[in-house]
């Protein structure tokens, strides 16, 4: 009963703070709309334009003729904008100037080596040079040329088996273009910021714990409570649960409003979305409680949280989606609760690996246990 009394009193006090309640609900709703409209172009599905490549075919044999038919065919030109070049030096110059992204060189002995019963493994079938820093372009060029090499190798193997009349003929039709709706496989701007702003405002819910612990532990009221029959665990758990319920109710309002007012896609597995949300609320309250109990100063704890939350939101791509290569930044990202929660929610909505989502929830659970353990240790050290 003592625990329930503390819980109900703290929850009622939080709900009566209309200013904070409105701020915690209206702020994410407004930010979702503003960011979603302003940055909508960033989330529009892009179209893969044909990649400009230079081609030097010095082979005058049948293999070179087959290659020209292949590389200049209508279907391949939808992927590669192939342009003849005069020499390897000219191709390298054009690559440096950005005119082409790759250079394909078919040497003059390609047909003879290709038709030989004992082809030399030291002589490459094709020489391909791709500009660095573009793995997508490299993959497209390599796969297109790989399809030609596989077909040509098949013809060569059949000829060595005695089928002398076999010839390479690329007919096309292997690529079937089917338009797909992007809404079910990737988030739009409103969908993206609905998740990131929900996560951010939940993290700002840590301020409830910070200021609540200050009043109930550090001020004169807290000292008088310590002299009452209320156990420290009852006091602590009652306060934490009230703050958890307060922030979770605010999160539910944001989810419901964005779903019905903005048409945000929250996926088909809403129970798992709510579980991830509740886990993040526990983490947020645990973080605020820990910092408040360790610093013993409302001003210092509030300053730390107000400075930390924008940083971890930015690192998680909450304000603008970006990617920075490197193991150090990746490790820092995975320390951000925002990143863990956002990734888990996006995995749930857009069909990510269930094992990965479980691992992210486990990481969040570990952070929760750590924050509450540190907070309890700090509370006992002070008052025992």
């Amino acid at each position: 009963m003592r625990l329930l009394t503390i819980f109900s009193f703290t929850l009622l006090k939080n709900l009566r703070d209309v200013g904070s309640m409105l701020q915690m609900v209206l702020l994410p709703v407004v930010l979702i709309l503003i960011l979603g409209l302003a940055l909508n172009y960033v989330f529009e599905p892009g179209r893969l334009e044909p990649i400009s490549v230079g081609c030097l075919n010095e082979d005058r044999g049948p293999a070179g003729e087959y290659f020209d038919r292949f590389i200049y065919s209508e279907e391949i030109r939808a992927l590669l904008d192939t342009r003849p070049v005069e020499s390897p030096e000219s191709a390298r110059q054009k690559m440096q100037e950005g005119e082409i992204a790759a250079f394909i060189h078919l040497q003059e002995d390609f047909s003879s080596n290709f038709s030989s019963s004992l082809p030399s493994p030291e002589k490459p079938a094709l020489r391909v040079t791709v500009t660095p820093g573009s793995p997508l372009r490299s993959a497209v060029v390599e796969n297109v040329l790989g399809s030609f090499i596989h077909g040509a190798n098949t013809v060569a193997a059949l000829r060595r088996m005695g089928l002398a009349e076999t010839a390479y003929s690329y007919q096309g039709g292997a690529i079937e273009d089917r338009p797909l709706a992007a809404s079910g496989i990737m988030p739009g701007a409103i969908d993206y910021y609905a998740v990131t702003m929900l996560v951010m405002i939940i993290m700002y819910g840590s301020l409830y714990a910070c200021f609540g612990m200050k009043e109930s532990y550090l001020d004169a009221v807290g000292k008088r409570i310590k002299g009452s029959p209320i156990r420290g665990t009852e006091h602590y758990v009652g306060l934490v649960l009230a703050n958890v319920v307060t922030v979770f109710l605010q999160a539910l309002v944001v989810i419901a409003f964005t779903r019905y007012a903005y048409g945000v896609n929250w996926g088909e597995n809403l129970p798992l979305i709510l579980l991830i949300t509740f886990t993040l609320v526990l983490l947020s309250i645990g973080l605020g409680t820990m910092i408040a109990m360790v610093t013993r100063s409302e001003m210092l704890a509030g300053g730390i949280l107000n400075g930390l939350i924008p940083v971890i939101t930015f690192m998680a791509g909450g304000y603008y989606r970006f990617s920075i290569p490197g193991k150090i930044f990746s490790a820092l990202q995975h320390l951000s609760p925002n990143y863990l929660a956002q990734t888990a929610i996006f995995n749930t909505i857009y069909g990510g690996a269930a094992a990965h989502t479980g691992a992210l929830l486990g990481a969040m659970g570990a952070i929760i246990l750590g924050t509450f353990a540190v907070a309890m240790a700090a509370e006992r050290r002070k008052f025992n």
Side-chain angles (χ1 to χ4, degrees):
M1 289 303 297
R2 290 190 295 263
L3 188 153
L4 291 176
T5 300
I6 295 172
F7 166 79
S8 59
F9 174 79
T10 306
L11 179 60
L12 185 61
K13 184 184 66 174
N14 290 342
L15 295 178
R16 284 178 173 174
D17 188 356
V18 178
S20 296
M21 292 291 292
L22 288 177
Q23 183 179 4
M24 291 288 288
V25 172
L26 292 179
L27 179 62
V29 167
V30 173
L31 286 177
I32 290 167
L33 182 62
I34 293 174
L35 293 173
L37 294 177
L39 299 176
N40 185 53
Y41 69 94
V42 177
F43 296 84
E44 292 179 353
R47 183 180 182 275
L48 181 63
E49 298 295 334
I51 300 169
S52 300
V53 299
C55 180
L56 177 59
N57 185 356
E58 296 182 320
D59 184 81
R60 296 295 176 264
E65 182 181 348
Y66 296 148
F67 181 76
D68 279 342
R69 294 178 189 171
F70 170 81
I71 203 69
Y72 293 107
S73 65
E74 182 178 353
E75 189 172 9
I76 297 303
R77 289 188 71 87
L79 300 173
L80 302 181
D81 178 15
T82 307
R83 307 171 183 178
V85 294
E86 294 77 18
S87 65
E89 293 75 16
S90 173
R92 284 192 288 270
Q93 180 66 28
K94 290 183 178 181
M95 290 180 68
Q96 292 176 358
E97 295 174 353
E99 291 186 31
I100 58 175
F103 170 52
I104 304 169
H105 188 187
L106 196 68
Q107 296 183 331
E108 59 184 5
D109 56 353
F110 177 71
S111 287
S112 58
N113 184 58
F114 183 76
S115 303
S116 173
S117 59
L118 295 174
S120 173
E122 298 179 357
K123 295 183 178 180
L126 290 170
R127 292 185 182 274
V128 183
T129 306
V130 182
T131 53
S134 181
L136 177 61
R137 292 178 176 180
S138 300
V140 171
V141 174
E142 290 172 6
N143 280 278
V144 167
L145 295 179
S147 67
F148 172 79
I149 293 299
H150 291 321
N153 285 340
T154 302
V155 172
L158 291 173
R159 284 187 174 184
R160 293 183 188 114
M161 293 171 60
L163 300 176
E165 299 302 322
T166 305
Y168 183 90
S169 176
Y170 180 73
Q171 298 298 325
I175 300 174
E176 185 175 352
D177 189 5
R178 293 185 177 180
L180 297 173
S183 59
I185 57 176
M186 63 177 291
I190 294 288
D191 300 315
Y192 181 82
Y193 287 112
V195 173
T196 62
M197 292 299 102
L198 172 69
V199 169
M200 182 191 72
I201 208 64
I202 289 175
M203 293 305 299
Y204 272 113
S206 60
L207 294 172
Y208 278 106
C210 172
F211 298 140
M213 288 299 169
K214 178 259 181 187
E215 179 180 346
S216 300
Y217 272 91
L218 308 180
D219 286 352
V221 173
K223 294 177 182 178
R224 288 197 296 270
I225 292 175
K226 280 294 177 180
S228 71
I230 299 176
R231 296 189 182 93
T233 303
E234 296 171 343
H235 187 200
Y236 181 83
V237 173
L239 289 171
V240 168
L241 286 180
N243 291 325
V244 167
V245 171
T246 301
V247 179
F248 187 63
L249 288 175
Q250 294 166 346
L252 291 180
V253 172
V254 173
I255 291 174
F257 182 87
T258 54
R259 181 167 189 167
Y260 295 108
Y262 295 162
V264 170
N265 176 23
W266 289 103
E268 301 298 327
N269 195 349
L270 191 58
L272 184 53
I273 296 292
L274 296 181
L275 174 62
I276 297 169
T277 302
F278 185 75
T279 304
L280 182 64
V281 171
L282 284 175
L283 191 155
S284 172
I285 299 302
L287 180 65
T289 303
M290 180 188 72
I291 294 177
M293 299 303 292
V294 170
T295 60
R296 301 288 170 179
S297 168
E298 175 187 11
M299 183 176 296
L300 178 58
I304 292 174
L305 289 171
N306 280 310
L308 178 64
I309 293 170
V311 172
I312 60 178
T313 301
F314 172 78
M315 289 175 56
Y319 305 120
Y320 189 82
R321 187 174 60 175
F322 66 95
S323 177
I324 299 178
K327 294 182 179 179
I328 295 179
F329 182 78
S330 178
L332 291 175
Q333 259 193 335
H334 282 77
L335 292 176
S336 166
N338 299 55
Y339 178 82
L340 299 176
Q342 288 171 197
T343 307
I345 292 175
F346 285 131
N347 278 355
T348 304
I349 297 174
Y350 299 103
H356 187 212
T357 303
L360 294 169
L361 278 171
M364 293 168 67
I367 296 175
I368 291 170
L369 293 176
T371 56
F372 282 119
V374 172
M376 290 297 292
E379 188 267 345
R380 289 174 180 173
R381 186 183 70 247
K382 176 68 178 178
F383 292 105
N384 289 342

